[in-house]
Amino acid sequence: MGRLTTHVLDIASGRPAAGMGVRLTDLDSGATLGEFVTNADGRLDAPALQGDALKAGRYELLFRVGDYFRATGTSGDGLPFLDEVPLRFGVADASQHYHVPLLVSPWAYSTYRGS
């Protein structure tokens, strides 16, 4: 059964990014598929999509990193360098597990397809 999961690590503090807002959008239809908040482990409590809900197509996970770093007091003064981080990706085979982690600091981010 296919599923879409994510995990956010705050690499500035060396801890999971708990309490970060995440929005999932189907880019093919423009529909918002979910609004989530990461748990204490920096993960969603359940897959963002799974089973028949996960379809081949283009998606976006929008991570609200500016709000997270403001809440943790690590955004510095004034306007944050990173505010919202959109990760756009494709699902070719909806029967597979697509894990989309985000490694983030107030000044940089990276991602990859995890397992």
Side-chain angles (χ1 to χ4, degrees), residues 4 23-28 30 57-63 85-91 98 100-102 109 111-113:
L4 171 63
R23 182 178 68 213
L24 174 62
T25 302
D26 178 331
L27 292 175
D28 295 327
R58 297 175 315 123
Y59 294 90
E60 177 183 87
L61 284 167
L62 181 75
F63 297 88
V85 172
L87 297 182
R88 293 184 168 195
F89 58 95
V91 170
Y98 284 78
V100 183
L102 178 69
Y109 66 90
T111 190
Y112 56 94
R113 181 174 174 193

Side-chain angles (χ1 to χ4, degrees), residues 17-76:
M20 183 179 292
V22 180
R23 182 178 68 213
L24 174 62
T25 302
D26 178 331
L27 292 175
D28 295 327
S29 70
T32 297
L33 301 178
E35 294 278 349
F36 310 95
V37 176
T38 57
N39 61 25
D41 195 33
R43 300 174 186 272
L44 306 184
D45 288 330
L49 293 174
Q50 63 182 342
D52 292 340
L54 180 62
K55 301 187 182 325
R58 297 175 315 123
Y59 294 90
E60 177 183 87
L61 284 167
L62 181 75
F63 297 88
R64 293 187 172 92
V65 300
D67 290 344
Y68 166 79
F69 284 117
R70 276 189 289 277
T72 62
T74 56
S75 64

